Amino acid sequence: MTIGEFDRIKYRRDLWPPALNRLLSERTSDIDCLISAVIVCLQDGYLITLSVSHIIADASGAATLLQQWASLAAQHHLRSKVSISSLVPQAAIDFDHPAFWSRLTAYPPDTHPYVDYIEAQNFGSLDDIQSKLATYYKTGTLDNEKNLSMRVLHVSTVNIAKIAEQYNIDPEYRPLHGVQILYALLWQRYVLAALAASPTKPAGNAPIFLNLLHNTRSLVSCPNYVGNGVSTAYISLTIDSIATIPVLELAHKIKPFVNSITPGAAVHMAKAISDPNSMFTLKAVYVCSLAASHMTISNASRMPFYDIDFGLGTPLAVLWGTRPTEGMSSWLPHKDGIDINFGLNNAVYAILKKDRILGEFIDFLN
């Protein structure tokens, strides 16, 4: 297979050669395998994949690890020709846990209403959660994944600017960046699509949550740290209010949370994710959730993935390899804008593709 052939099917994993899918199959446990890498030799290039457990790294940590790995490989290439063996790290990669924990443990943990609400509404006892996750790790699927696919939504740089121009028209509000407005626009349209596709109609005063995931690099101040520091911010509205609120007003409600990381929240989430036992409960929140209209945004679109060079040149494409989780969107950089990898129910996706408002700004790639 050539790079050009792979490029044409990169967003359609169902069209990948079976042998390639087997090589890149996901690990079945976040505990048993913390890091795995696969290097596939194509006819005219390489496909380099990295799989990292959330116990030890978030997107920022994964980017740091890739940068260190690429730097070591590039130095090796100065002394020898490029080969599979030359891509294997020739020296140790720095893990600096003590500096991270000594900084964070000085703060008290916060409470998380979204986690409390979801657990109370959907999961029952802890035994039920662990039973669901045991099935998930054994089979790789859950009941609510049967009609679920990972969809890729592309927003170009021009369309990000167009969003800002079109919605920053109310003199009562300060202008926002197009990406900040896109948070609100996509959340609102997704909720409406999820409700339209749902066979049951919740009450108008039922809470709807937007969950924003952040890395805690700004709290850590360790440039070489490869570790997990994830903080969350939960924005709650009711079904009735999100259906009628203007997009710019909604964007301003979200704005205070976009770049904020409370130290307590960082401690709570980082410790919980780093504890394999607590990992089960948190996995249940994101993987086993029955509340499809809730949405999570993990924005890694400013991570330097397109600057990483193994001595072969910068990458032609960066892909997200995780299996879909309903309502979970992972935002990655693209050479022209942002790729949003979104776990969507097939019925919800069909509604979003016909959404004229989203269609002005978003290309649906698969």
Side-chain angles (χ1 to χ4, degrees), residues 350-364:
I351 295 172
L352 290 178
K353 284 191 73 172
K354 296 177 181 178
D355 189 309
R356 293 182 180 179
I357 295 175
L358 290 184
E360 289 186 55
F361 312 109
I362 293 176
D363 294 317
F364 297 86

Side-chain angles (χ1 to χ4, degrees), residues 58-98:
D58 56 11
S60 180
T64 300
L65 193 153
L66 278 168
Q67 286 174 315
Q68 292 192 22
W69 176 13
S71 176
L72 294 169
Q75 291 172 30
H76 185 75
H77 294 161
L78 295 176
R79 303 187 296 271
S80 63
K81 66 179 183 179
V82 175
S83 66
I84 289 288
S85 61
S86 71
L87 293 173
V88 177
Q90 304 295 312
I93 293 175
D94 179 21
F95 288 81
D96 183 12
H97 290 271

Side-chain angles (χ1 to χ4, degrees), residues 116-137:
D116 293 342
Y117 170 79
I118 293 296
E119 288 180 354
Q121 295 294 314
N122 293 335
F123 299 129
S125 68
L126 184 60
D127 290 340
D128 293 336
I129 297 172
Q130 292 178 331
S131 175
K132 285 184 177 182
L133 287 167
T135 301
Y136 172 69
Y137 281 136

Side-chain angles (χ1 to χ4, degrees), residues 41 54 61 79 91 96 100 106-107 112 114-115 117 122-124 168 173 178 200 258 270 279 298 329 356 363:
C41 184
H54 230 322
R79 303 187 296 271
D96 183 12
F100 175 67
Y107 302 100
H112 293 281
Y114 175 73
V115 175
Y117 170 79
N122 293 335
F123 299 129
N168 283 314
Y173 294 102
T200 59
V258 169
M279 190 75 172
S298 177
S329 66
R356 293 182 180 179
D363 294 317

Side-chain angles (χ1 to χ4, degrees), residues 27-302:
R27 61 179 182 274
T28 55
S29 171
D30 276 298
I31 298 171
D32 296 339
C33 181
L34 298 182
I35 299 179
S36 63
V38 175
I39 304 170
V40 179
C41 184
L42 303 177
Q43 290 181 25
D44 54 352
Y46 294 91
L47 177 61
I48 301 173
T49 74
L50 178 69
S51 178
V52 183
S53 168
H54 230 322
I55 292 173
I56 63 168
D58 56 11
S60 180
T64 300
L65 193 153
L66 278 168
Q67 286 174 315
Q68 292 192 22
W69 176 13
S71 176
L72 294 169
Q75 291 172 30
H76 185 75
H77 294 161
L78 295 176
R79 303 187 296 271
S80 63
K81 66 179 183 179
V82 175
S83 66
I84 289 288
S85 61
S86 71
L87 293 173
V88 177
Q90 304 295 312
I93 293 175
D94 179 21
F95 288 81
D96 183 12
H97 290 271
F100 175 67
W101 294 113
S102 63
R103 180 77 177 267
L104 287 185
T105 50
Y107 302 100
D110 289 349
T111 58
H112 293 281
Y114 175 73
V115 175
D116 293 342
Y117 170 79
I118 293 296
E119 288 180 354
Q121 295 294 314
N122 293 335
F123 299 129
S125 68
L126 184 60
D127 290 340
D128 293 336
I129 297 172
Q130 292 178 331
S131 175
K132 285 184 177 182
L133 287 167
T135 301
Y136 172 69
Y137 281 136
K138 185 176 180 180
T139 66
T141 59
L142 288 163
D143 287 342
N144 64 335
E145 287 184 339
K146 290 178 180 176
N147 297 311
L148 201 61
S149 300
M150 182 67 84
R151 304 295 186 173
V152 182
L153 286 56
H154 176 70
V155 191
S156 68
T157 303
V158 168
N159 280 338
I160 291 172
K162 185 178 174 183
I163 290 171
E165 180 182 2
Q166 184 164 321
Y167 284 96
N168 283 314
I169 57 175
D170 190 334
E172 292 187 17
Y173 294 102
R174 294 181 62 182
L176 296 179
H177 190 279
V179 172
Q180 293 176 310
I181 300 172
L182 182 59
Y183 276 33
L185 180 64
L186 189 58
W187 183 27
Q188 184 182 65
R189 306 314 297 177
Y190 169 69
V191 168
L192 295 177
L195 292 172
S198 175
T200 59
K201 304 301 178 187
N205 61 354
I208 293 291
F209 287 91
L210 175 65
N211 176 25
L212 298 177
L213 298 183
H214 308 292
N215 73 78
T216 56
R217 182 166 297 277
S218 63
L219 293 178
V220 177
S221 300
C222 295
N224 293 326
Y225 176 71
V226 182
N228 183 59
V230 174
S231 176
T232 57
Y234 303 106
I235 301 97
S236 176
L237 293 176
T238 64
I239 288 175
D240 284 344
S241 62
I242 200 170
T244 57
I245 187 171
V247 170
L248 185 61
E249 182 180 341
L250 180 58
H252 274 272
K253 286 184 178 293
I254 297 171
K255 182 180 180 295
F257 299 95
V258 169
N259 295 312
S260 66
I261 303 173
T262 64
V267 175
H268 178 92
M269 189 59 75
K271 278 188 173 181
I273 292 180
S274 299
D275 176 359
N277 293 318
S278 296
M279 190 75 172
F280 280 106
T281 301
L282 287 164
K283 272 282 188 178
V285 172
Y286 297 114
V287 175
C288 306
S289 175
L290 304 179
S293 53
H294 299 310
M295 179 175 166
T296 297
I297 293 176
S298 177
N299 191 345
S301 65
R302 296 181 67 183

